[in-house]
Amino acid sequence: EDNQSSFASYMQFVYKPIQGLHLILKYDYFDINYDISNGSVTRYSYGFEFFPLNMLEIKLQAREYNTENISLGLDIEYLLQLHTWF
């Protein structure tokens, strides 16, 4: 049996300058095997969520990845999401 220790961390900061607009900063960290000094992934995300109507959310974010001794094949990715509900 493999007894490895993983570690994950997540933080989010939200600033609401006006009603219906959320400015967002996020930090994610994941290390699948905390006892080994490589293989960790850190992600920084920043962007906004905009609520132009009661039933509509528009989210735009950029995500930057930092990795330790592994390659994910990407440095920055962009996220555009539209949410609606009723």
Side-chain angles (χ1 to χ4, degrees), residues 24-80:
I24 303 207
L25 296 172
K26 296 180 188 178
Y27 169 81
D28 299 278
Y29 176 83
F30 181 69
D31 191 345
I32 195 165
N33 191 343
Y34 200 64
D35 298 327
I36 299 175
S37 64
N38 64 8
S40 64
V41 177
T42 303
R43 181 173 70 180
Y44 301 95
S45 303
Y46 44 91
F48 67 87
E49 295 175 350
F50 179 54
F51 300 85
L53 302 169
N54 270 347
M55 301 183 317
L56 179 64
E57 173 191 12
I58 301 168
K59 180 188 292 190
L60 179 63
Q61 291 182 355
R63 296 175 175 165
E64 292 183 38
Y65 288 85
N66 294 323
T67 58
E68 189 174 291
N69 299 327
I70 60 172
S71 176
L72 293 177
L74 46 96
D75 294 321
I76 296 179
E77 68 179 4
Y78 299 96
L79 171 71
L80 173 62

